[in-house]
Amino acid sequence: MVSESTKPALPKPSPSSRSGGNVFHVLSIPFRWLGREIEITARMMVNNVLVSVCGTQLTLGVALKNGLAGSDILRVYLISWMLSFLYTYTFDAGNQAKGGTEDAHNKPWRPVPAGLVTERGLRVRYILANILYAYLGWRFGVLPWVLFWQATMIALNTFQGRWYFLSKQITMQLGVVALFAIAWGVVEPINTLAWQWILFSGILFVFPLIMEDLKDIEGDRVVGRRTLIDIFGQWPVRIWSASWTFTLPFFQHFGLYVPSGADVLNIAICDVLVTGSCWTVAYRLLRYRTPRQDAATYIMFYGAFLLALSASCILYL
């Protein structure tokens, strides 16, 4: 029997436990999880975040063309944003779930090389996000185009290595068709005008996208990926991308703006915005040539793409 004098002293409850600290600790768990997922998502999508906005701009333009207003515009805009976000999220998760080695050289801030998540963890997120994406596609009447994009992603992630230079262009062309069709389809069925926008503001904008490889040369070589830079060299790729980017405003003007029947002032605003952004990118491709500068030029090209789609809002106001 232990005497009172030899009994071990019981620890006194801490102020935090007396005041319900354990409860606050449990309640903070979801917030920590949410914060971690936000950081993973931000690091994963930072290079392509503008793509999540591009689809919504086209949706907004189609909504204005159809005379929607108020709550109806807000509804289709939010639907388009969710679908555009998942379009980009699933692409980045699937791509980066296989690209840890390359990203350690080219993009060390991404979640896998930064140690925030494993490649297996990104694969799990890729699968779950695609399930949600398919459900929302079905719910809002664009499931065929969502499935089309999912099949395109599988093809892109399968045909890497030596065939990357060919598969990347083909799958990105198909991907932009899916992006536009989904953004348009949440407002009205795909029609002739939709295909005009898919061609002049979508497919033609993919041709200069080989500029992306200019900023990733070192990482591509580490993983043995064969790009058009390996085949033709840097300068032919720069000249190709710059030439295409320079001519894009003309395709926009004669293929979309003039046939729209919009006011001359609206067309002029579209021309100034798209021409200024595209020609800036073309100049930078030839003038600034470090990996960091090429990365900035690539982001600016997506800005030009965003403005090209935002033109739909200006034309149909």
Side-chain angles (χ1 to χ4, degrees), residues 152-172:
T152 301
M153 283 190 293
I154 293 173
L156 176 61
N157 291 325
T158 300
F159 297 104
Q160 295 280 357
R162 290 185 61 82
W163 295 105
Y164 174 82
F165 70 94
L166 180 61
S167 64
K168 179 70 176 290
Q169 271 292 311
I170 294 174
T171 53
M172 289 298 95

Side-chain angles (χ1 to χ4, degrees), residues 40-52 54 88 91-92 95-96 103 106-111 209 212 215-216 291-292 294-303:
I40 290 172
T41 301
R43 286 173 174 265
M44 184 174 69
M45 295 176 59
V46 64
N47 289 105
N48 295 323
V49 67
L50 288 179
V51 180
S52 299
C54 289
T88 310
F91 172 79
D92 282 331
N95 182 48
Q96 294 177 38
D103 288 341
N106 286 336
K107 308 173 185 75
W109 62 84
R110 283 183 168 178
L209 266 180
E212 179 183 8
K215 62 184 176 60
D216 297 333
R292 185 183 294 272
D294 284 326
T297 302
Y298 175 70
I299 296 297
M300 293 178 67
F301 178 77
Y302 267 111

Side-chain angles (χ1 to χ4, degrees), residues 15-35:
S16 62
S17 63
R18 288 198 302 267
S19 61
N22 289 336
V23 174
F24 288 116
H25 174 73
V26 171
L27 292 177
S28 69
I29 292 176
F31 292 99
R32 291 204 306 271
W33 172 84
L34 180 61

Side-chain angles (χ1 to χ4, degrees), residues 8-271:
L10 295 175
K12 294 181 180 181
S14 64
S16 62
S17 63
R18 288 198 302 267
S19 61
N22 289 336
V23 174
F24 288 116
H25 174 73
V26 171
L27 292 177
S28 69
I29 292 176
F31 292 99
R32 291 204 306 271
W33 172 84
L34 180 61
R36 181 170 176 269
E37 287 302 315
I38 290 175
E39 183 177 3
I40 290 172
T41 301
R43 286 173 174 265
M44 184 174 69
M45 295 176 59
V46 64
N47 289 105
N48 295 323
V49 67
L50 288 179
V51 180
S52 299
V53 186
C54 289
T56 63
Q57 295 304 99
L58 183 61
T59 298
L60 185 57
V62 181
L64 292 172
K65 180 182 73 69
N66 282 271
L68 300 187
S71 60
D72 290 330
I73 284 187
L74 179 61
R75 179 181 61 84
V76 296
Y77 187 88
L78 291 176
I79 291 171
S80 180
W81 184 87
M82 287 189 294
L83 294 171
S84 294
F85 174 83
L86 287 170
Y87 174 98
T88 310
Y89 184 98
T90 52
F91 172 79
D92 282 331
N95 182 48
Q96 294 177 38
K98 298 178 62 177
T101 302
E102 175 195 353
D103 288 341
H105 289 80
N106 286 336
K107 308 173 185 75
W109 62 84
R110 283 183 168 178
V112 172
L116 292 175
V117 68
T118 63
E119 290 188 349
R120 181 179 180 276
L122 277 190
R123 283 193 292 271
V124 171
R125 288 166 174 80
Y126 169 75
I127 293 170
L128 293 177
N130 270 297
I131 293 173
L132 176 61
Y133 193 19
Y135 168 74
L136 292 178
W138 167 78
R139 175 67 178 79
F140 298 119
V142 290
L143 179 59
W145 293 109
V146 170
L147 295 177
F148 180 76
W149 173 231
Q150 290 174 331
T152 301
M153 283 190 293
I154 293 173
L156 176 61
N157 291 325
T158 300
F159 297 104
Q160 295 280 357
R162 290 185 61 82
W163 295 105
Y164 174 82
F165 70 94
L166 180 61
S167 64
K168 179 70 176 290
Q169 271 292 311
I170 294 174
T171 53
M172 289 298 95
Q173 294 284 7
L174 298 177
V176 80
V177 171
L179 174 67
F180 278 58
I182 292 169
W184 197 287
V186 300
V187 181
E188 67 176 5
I190 305 301
N191 51 35
T192 303
L193 182 59
W195 284 109
Q196 285 180 256
W197 277 89
I198 289 172
L199 172 61
F200 292 108
S201 277
I203 290 175
L204 294 182
F205 270 78
V206 176
F207 287 111
L209 266 180
I210 61 173
M211 73 175 73
E212 179 183 8
D213 295 328
L214 291 168
K215 62 184 176 60
D216 297 333
I217 294 175
E218 181 182 349
D220 288 336
R221 288 174 179 168
V222 168
V223 298
R225 180 179 293 140
R226 193 179 186 213
T227 68
L228 290 173
I229 295 173
D230 296 313
I231 299 173
F232 299 109
Q234 279 199 45
W235 269 110
V237 169
R238 290 185 184 279
I239 293 171
W240 167 273
S241 296
S243 299
W244 265 106
T245 307
F246 183 86
T247 58
L248 285 174
F250 298 102
F251 288 116
Q252 291 277 119
H253 178 83
F254 293 106
L256 294 174
Y257 304 163
V258 173
S260 72
D263 292 340
V264 174
L265 178 60
N266 291 28
I267 292 177
I269 293 172
C270 294
D271 281 333

